[in-house]
Amino acid sequence: MKINKSELEAVAVKPAQYPPEDLPEIAFAGRSNVGKSSLLNLITGRKSLARVSGSPGKTRTINFYRCNDEFRIVDLPGYGFAKVSRSESEKWGAMIEGYLENRKTLLKVVQLVDIRHKPSAQDIQMYEYLKYYGLDGIVAATKADKVGNNQKASCLKVIRQSLGMDKGDIIIPVSSLKRTGDAELLGAIEDLLRAED
């Protein structure tokens, strides 16, 4: 699959601002600064569809991107160490949960984790949460260019074990810098959309 057309359709902080539930959706979730915006730009082939920032916690809204007029990619606010107040971060938590638990057209959440580090307690909590709602199963291990080929397998094994991934769950090493892993990720998304037809 190739995304030939993508556009920002809605920026939302509450359900009233979401687009209608008329297309299947794949959401992307990950810690602040894990490389979510860069990956979204890579898979859509757009340089600045999602705003990339050096400072964590830039995405403070739920952003809906319409792709090929066939499905949406939904960018969720990063969790973790963003420099925001506790009340602000609790607000985001409630906003993300509301979307994940109530959106009927949501098929799956691609969780991003940094390949260089063992998943954090928040990463593990997020994966367990997704598993509870049947939204787990695809992990993108970002910044894959930062580890040597010899280390890659052991890094992926650590992520798989730490998150308690099931045998059939997919983990894809991706690098926005080297532009790798995007075809596999798009293939996994295409499989989800096909299964839905």
Side-chain angles (χ1 to χ4, degrees):
M1 177 173 72
K2 193 170 183 339
I3 295 176
N4 300 311
K5 183 182 174 198
S6 53
E7 60 195 346
L8 178 61
E9 188 177 3
V11 174
V13 290
K14 53 180 190 278
Q17 299 166 324
Y18 296 171
E21 291 183 289
D22 56 355
L23 289 175
E25 292 173 355
I26 312 287
F28 280 65
R31 280 182 66 158
S32 304
N33 242 18
V34 75
K36 204 152 33 79
S37 301
S38 301
L39 181 59
L40 293 178
N41 291 337
L42 175 66
I43 64 173
T44 56
R46 299 267 308 268
K47 275 200 171 69
S48 54
L49 184 70
R51 284 204 313 269
V52 178
S53 162
S55 58
K58 221 39 189 170
T59 308
R60 297 183 178 201
T61 50
I62 298 179
N63 298 338
F64 293 82
Y65 299 99
R66 190 182 182 96
C67 300
N68 293 350
D69 290 324
E70 290 167 11
F71 70 100
R72 289 188 191 96
I73 284 176
V74 183
D75 184 10
L76 300 172
Y79 52 85
F81 52 77
K83 291 188 181 79
V84 292
S85 68
R86 194 186 176 100
S87 64
E88 179 83 1
S89 115
E90 280 167 9
K91 235 186 331 202
W92 290 359
M95 180 167 73
I96 294 169
E97 281 173 27
Y99 169 76
L100 294 176
E101 292 172 23
N102 301 308
R103 191 71 171 165
K104 292 180 182 66
T105 45
L106 175 62
L107 301 183
K108 213 41 111 177
V109 176
V110 176
Q111 185 173 350
L112 281 68
V113 294
D114 188 324
I115 197 167
R116 300 169 299 177
H117 309 294
K118 187 177 180 191
S120 69
Q122 282 167 317
D123 289 326
I124 294 165
Q125 192 181 2
M126 184 61 157
Y127 201 73
E128 285 170 357
Y129 177 85
L130 294 176
K131 195 176 266 190
Y132 181 79
Y133 286 100
L135 298 168
D136 61 317
I138 303 178
V139 169
T142 62
K143 311 190 185 194
D145 54 284
K146 303 275 197 277
V147 297
N149 284 336
N150 304 339
Q151 297 168 279
K152 210 166 276 177
S154 65
C155 291
L156 295 175
K157 190 177 173 189
V158 166
I159 292 170
R160 188 175 275 284
Q161 287 175 341
S162 302
L163 295 180
M165 293 176 75
D166 293 330
K167 226 187 184 85
D169 292 352
I170 303 166
I171 182 164
I172 303 166
V174 294
S175 166
S176 302
L177 193 68
K178 297 273 196 251
R179 310 184 73 79
T180 57
D182 53 318
E184 290 90 329
L185 185 53
L186 284 167
I189 290 172
E190 186 175 23
D191 291 345
L192 286 172
L193 296 170
R194 278 220 186 108
E196 199 52 22
D197 281 348

